[in-house]
Amino acid sequence: MKAYISTLFCFFLTISITAQITSGQATYQSKTTVDMDFGGPQMTEQMKEQIAEMMKKALEKTYILNFNKEESSYKEEEKLAAPGAGGGMMAMMGNFTAGAQYKNTTDDLYLQEQEFFGKQFLITDTLPKLEWKLVNVSKQIGQYVAFKATAIKQLGDTDFQSMRRRNSNTDSEKEATETKKDSTEFDLMEEIEIPKEIEIVAWYTPQIPIPQGPGEFSGLPGLILEIQADRTSILCTKIVLNPKEIEIKKPSKGQKVSQEEYQKIVKDKMEEMQEMYGGRGRGRGMQIRMN
């Protein structure tokens, strides 16, 4: 109990001392790991290594969060693409990478630009809701003391960052899997699954008493410095407080859709891809078009 009271005292003292913080810019490194054990014997080790390297580059990114007490913008840091980049697997992964994001905690507004197979969308919705549980555990992140918070996030059929290889538990499922591996056909969508929910672990600092954070995450009594969301980890590597100039820009490009509507669009297109590559469409190449 004494330790808990001491923590609360430090918490409120920190808020009092840092009340003059009004804005800032934070840099985050994001990494997502993916189970690459797909494809069976028809995919060589060299092919697996090449795909793994491309996916690693596609899933390791740097983001910039500009924030004040009410608003924040979160966008991937612009950099020159390597020669030959942008096609094939890299283009495919780009379809599932979040575009520029905007959050307003006062107006409960969430905006995100997203390009999907050549068409631009503007996801317009309320802020994603997570029931955070504050934990009396702390650690040092850079020069800041960070406290732990956890939440459970419900996933949909299009949360591909959490995809994993489907487990074959029954004898019939194992036999079907072995039969597929021995054949020339391979259906990726039948090989993977997405969990119904994942645990989110966040680390926030009351030393920056602004309820913002990377990506969709916000709503804690301090800036979120680190996120662990299943296979994705996001870590703050640099913070500049009260910069002279800071731009918090609302995304505005694209067809307005809700998060639910966008997920349905993605799901429908993935089912279309599955039809194309399920045998009848084999060899025709990817020709999906958004109407």
Side-chain angles (χ1 to χ4, degrees):
M1 178 60 72
K2 289 183 179 180
Y4 184 70
I5 293 175
S6 177
T7 299
L8 285 178
F9 175 77
C10 292
F11 175 79
F12 289 112
L13 179 61
T14 300
I15 289 181
S16 176
I17 294 174
T18 60
Q20 69 273 20
I21 298 175
T22 59
S23 64
Q25 183 179 87
T27 302
Y28 292 87
Q29 297 291 334
S30 174
K31 295 183 180 181
T32 301
T33 60
V34 176
D35 182 2
M36 288 304 302
D37 189 18
F38 297 120
Q42 66 269 34
M43 183 177 288
T44 66
E45 289 301 317
Q46 183 179 4
M47 292 171 61
K48 289 183 180 181
E49 290 176 3
Q50 290 175 345
I51 294 175
E53 184 61 28
M54 286 189 292
M55 293 187 74
K56 179 182 178 182
K57 291 179 180 179
L59 296 173
E60 291 186 1
K61 297 179 178 294
T62 301
Y63 291 89
I64 303 297
L65 176 74
N66 291 333
F67 62 89
N68 59 34
K69 292 185 176 181
E70 298 179 352
E71 301 175 286
S72 69
S73 62
Y74 187 68
K75 186 177 180 181
E76 183 180 354
E77 184 179 54
E78 295 182 2
K79 55 185 177 182
L80 294 175
M89 179 67 71
M90 296 292 282
M92 171 68 77
M93 295 305 300
N95 284 304
F96 304 112
T97 302
Q101 297 170 302
Y102 169 87
K103 300 192 295 289
N104 188 310
T105 55
T106 300
D107 296 338
D108 193 23
L109 177 62
Y110 176 81
L111 301 175
Q112 178 189 319
E113 287 182 344
Q114 184 68 61
E115 183 179 347
F116 185 65
F117 283 108
K119 186 168 183 177
Q120 191 74 30
F121 294 93
L122 179 63
I123 300 172
T124 306
D125 218 318
T126 57
L127 290 171
K129 299 296 189 297
L130 289 175
E131 294 186 8
W132 292 110
K133 178 182 178 182
L134 305 186
V135 183
N136 189 28
V137 176
S138 65
K139 70 175 182 178
Q140 194 80 16
I141 299 180
Q143 67 185 73
Y144 299 96
V145 176
F147 291 85
K148 185 178 181 179
T150 62
I152 299 298
K153 178 185 177 183
Q154 304 298 319
L155 299 185
D157 295 335
T158 60
D159 287 302
F160 293 106
Q161 284 188 325
S162 292
M163 69 180 181
R164 59 204 62 194
R165 185 164 188 171
R166 190 183 301 277
N167 292 323
S168 298
N169 296 320
T170 66
D171 291 338
S172 59
E173 288 176 334
K174 289 179 181 178
E175 183 178 349
T177 301
E178 291 302 319
T179 301
K180 280 190 175 184
K181 287 183 177 180
D182 292 337
S183 70
T184 57
E185 288 194 11
F186 172 66
D187 191 339
L188 177 62
M189 297 308 294
E190 291 186 8
E191 289 279 322
I192 66 173
E193 64 180 356
I194 297 172
K196 298 297 183 183
E197 61 183 29
I198 58 173
E199 182 184 41
I200 307 296
V201 177
W203 294 87
Y204 66 95
T205 177
Q207 292 173 261
I208 306 176
I210 294 178
Q212 297 288 356
E216 66 189 88
F217 303 105
S218 62
L220 285 168
L223 182 69
I224 298 174
L225 302 183
E226 184 177 334
I227 286 284
Q228 186 64 47
D230 193 39
R231 297 173 180 268
T232 298
S233 59
I234 307 172
L235 178 63
C236 182
T237 58
K238 180 182 177 181
I239 296 177
V240 178
L241 296 176
N242 295 335
K244 291 183 179 180
E245 295 183 6
I246 187 171
E247 182 181 33
I248 299 178
K249 187 177 180 181
K250 285 186 179 181
S252 59
K253 298 179 182 178
Q255 175 187 337
K256 286 188 177 182
V257 293
S258 67
Q259 184 68 50
E260 184 178 356
E261 289 170 336
Y262 178 72
Q263 288 175 350
K264 185 179 185 305
I265 291 169
V266 173
K267 185 177 181 180
D268 289 346
K269 286 303 171 183
M270 294 305 295
E271 290 175 354
E272 182 180 333
M273 288 178 65
Q274 190 171 359
E275 284 284 326
M276 293 178 67
Y277 289 95
R280 294 192 304 272
R282 187 175 298 280
R284 292 187 301 176
M286 187 178 297
Q287 299 178 11
I288 295 179
R289 182 177 300 170
M290 298 298 297
N291 296 320

